[in-house]
Amino acid sequence: MTEQLEVGRARKRKEDARLLTGRTNWTDNIQLPGLLHVAYLRSPMAHARITSVDVSGAKGLPGVVAVFSGQDFADEQGSLPCAWPVSEDIVIPDHPPMAVSEVRYVGEAVACVVATDRYKAADALDAIEVEYDPLPAVLDMNDALADGSPKVHEAGNQAFTWKFAQGDIEAAMRDAPVVIDRTYIQQRLIPTAMEPRSVVATTDGESFTLWSATQIPHVLRVMLALTTGIAEHKLRVIAPDVGGGFGSKLQVTAEEVLALLLTRRLGKPVKWTESRSEGNLTAHHGRDQIQHITLACEADGRIRGLKVDLLADMGAYLMLVTPGVPLLGAFMYNSIYKMDALDFGCTGVFTTKMPTDAYRGAGRPEATYAIERVMDELAAELGLDPLEVRRRNWIRHEEFPYTTIAGLTYDSGNYEAATDRAMALFGYDKLRAEQADRRDRGDPVQLGIGVSTYTEMCGLAPSRVLGSLAYGAGGWEHSSIRMLPTGKVEVVTGSSPHGQGHETAWSQIVADALGVPFEDVSVLHGDTAISHKGMDTYGSRSLVVGGMAVLAACEKVKDKARKLAAHAMECSPDDVEFDRGAFKVRGTETQKTIQELALAAFAAHDLPDGVEARLDADATFDPENFSFPHGTHLCAIEVDTETGMSKIRSYVAVDDVGRVVNPLIVEGQVHGGLAQGIAQALYEEAVYDAEGNLLTTTMADYLLPSAADLPDFVTDRTESPATSNPLGVKGVGEAGTIASTPAVVNAIVDALRPRGIHDIQMPCTPERVWRALQ
């Protein structure tokens, strides 16, 4: 009987027992001797000059240890970093962690209290007096770019312009038989991770340790060293178990910088944990774009060219990767479709709102939404089934590898197989028949069918490509394998999880690669003193980059062990085969297990000349290409034309993520992604009033769907292995979010199209649907 491989096995996650029972170390759990607590006074105004800050009234209050204004740190706090200067003339304004002379969004920190507990710190904020000289708020992107608009920064309200063109767009547009011209709004979203942001900092007078609920401990360490002047080798950053991020913790935050400055100033450990309202105000936001899309086609629906003009709201400042986020979508507007020309232009706009930055999908959901919405518009214009117009344009499976108009080479895929499978699970033809019947009967509850055939570029890499886009870092990842004397294995990974299941998936990869039991592998991560090197976790890169670094390190371990095995069995290394954890002399029964060799290396009694007393190895993996998962999502929605209420009746997602390491983890990632994509379509929106106040600061105002608001998902997979990595895997973390939003909105519009409706602005609330119907 053949022993079952771990890769592909539906293992329950190793980490879940401690996470679900709370027997773990979240940042807010950390208690240190003499720990002090920090609270921030935040601007109530969207735009104003600070004329005075009087902290004296707070200093004598019970439990208060110190009170500071931005002026107190003006000489040492530096500017929060932007690591993606996308153009040579980009405007990157100074971004002080605590405002000194001017505030530019509601929630910007202007002072802080350090006290013996968090409640005394928060209470003392009321005693700080700040005088402001109000300035005009700048909220609308079009208004911000108009002549005479109030300025967010002295340099003006345009952060950058960025153009990307391939092919002759003028020729593609000229005399095109069919031209579809649409404008879509990507509303502003708040990422809302389960665990709020939290920071603890301490010092022994020479070295510093920072715990943070972050996705990027390694990147954070470098950036904090550059910002604060603390030497990098004197700074340790630890990301304990982190409860979700979705991009919101891919950041260098004001509170992280200030925690180090406060502990350096006071010589005491300090902690700050945000409230949910504070997080809604000051954790960076996502999306917020205006997309103008022009699609030129032949009379039969074949695409000639696509033109994209994008306005992207940066908010008040450029944070870590703010300007690069909308540009990630530039290469995805063409999606799975063949065309002769692509013309993309993006203008980044400053407003007096919380800065935007990466949110699950980061530029790819926005691009997919636009192209999938406009493909439905093309189908309606030509009187074709939405799937038929896609078939006429997509890359056929026999054409892979295929270099797109955007210049990316898609290595593998099969859009036909994923779509056929989705249609069968969905009962597509039967639902279309029911839809026709309801229309004929004039049923007040109409049925809409939404289609989304998507692909994405993920697994952020390769480093040379990122460098060509002016990105401030590479796309590699690092890992180490430690073979312990007793035959157990420690994996050290630079990829830092915040819910993805690394400890389980990495154990499965190592168990197969080294032939050791799954239970004998442990995974260490998230601490720069243990995992000294890494590029961290975002952009669905964990498995396709981090996991491949783990696999590469395993291969180096086996190379070392082969030499030791050959010496022990008195043969040439060329005669040694490795099979399921054992080195065997070819053609004999003589063997040594890798775990026996780990003990032999530790004992070091009989090592061949030049061989170290260890089997440990490390590796850095830099991919040759991005990863391109794809799939077909189908959504059936019932829309009550009398009330505007939309209810998802069924949802089918068939995704192709290459080879699957753990089906349970993939299923969880898809379900979570679907929830967030559907939430953008139906529920979520960050809303500001005319003065720049955020109105959606609580979960009573910012609508998040619960399990009761979501349908049962039918999910399945096809498999087109990636050719860019040895396991054939692709990313999955963002796929559900990227695919689902257009599927849902397409379904609503499909239900109402006979009434002359071709768009409803997201979120498609009952009120918006009802108003469109009127």
Side-chain angles (χ1 to χ4, degrees), residues 51 80 223 229 268 302 312 316 351 452 460 512 515-516 615 622 665 671 684:
T51 58
L80 294 176
M223 292 299 180
K268 299 273 190 180
R302 189 187 72 80
T351 61
S452 176
L460 260 183
D512 281 354
V516 298
L615 298 182
D622 199 342
I665 290 176
H671 279 217
E684 295 186 36

Side-chain angles (χ1 to χ4, degrees), residues 531-581:
S531 169
H532 72 283
K533 189 174 181 180
M535 288 304 301
D536 303 314
T537 301
Y538 40 85
S540 300
R541 70 190 304 273
S542 294
L543 177 60
V544 296
V545 188
M548 295 310 99
V550 170
L551 187 62
C554 287
E555 293 304 312
K556 289 186 176 182
V557 168
K558 288 192 288 188
D559 288 343
K560 287 187 173 186
R562 179 175 279 102
K563 296 175 183 176
L564 191 55
H567 179 74
M569 296 186 292
E570 299 180 339
C571 67
S572 167
D574 294 338
D575 294 329
V576 175
E577 299 176 316
F578 181 78
D579 181 44
R580 299 293 179 89

Side-chain angles (χ1 to χ4, degrees), residues 581-635:
F583 292 91
K584 300 176 182 178
V585 180
R586 192 176 285 108
T588 75
E589 295 299 315
T590 305
Q591 70 172 37
K592 290 284 185 181
T593 69
I594 196 167
Q595 293 178 303
E596 290 174 325
L597 294 168
L599 182 59
F602 168 75
H605 294 160
D606 184 23
L607 298 179
D609 293 340
V611 173
E612 296 179 320
R614 66 189 188 104
L615 298 182
D616 304 349
D618 65 341
T620 299
F621 181 80
D622 199 342
E624 63 189 43
N625 196 1
F626 294 93
S627 156
F628 299 101
H630 71 83
T632 297
H633 288 214
L634 300 174
C635 177

Side-chain angles (χ1 to χ4, degrees), residues 169-182 293-307 339-340 374-384 389 392-393:
I169 193 66
E170 290 186 5
M173 295 287 172
R174 191 181 305 122
D175 301 323
V178 182
V179 177
I180 306 293
D181 194 84
R182 295 287 186 270
I293 311 295
T294 307
L295 188 72
C297 304
E298 302 289 2
D300 64 357
R302 189 187 72 80
I303 299 171
R304 294 171 60 161
L306 176 67
K307 186 171 173 49
M339 59 188 69
D340 302 322
V374 84
M375 288 301 283
D376 259 35
E377 296 301 296
L378 175 61
E381 179 76 13
L382 298 176
L384 292 172
V389 82
R392 293 184 184 186
N393 284 286

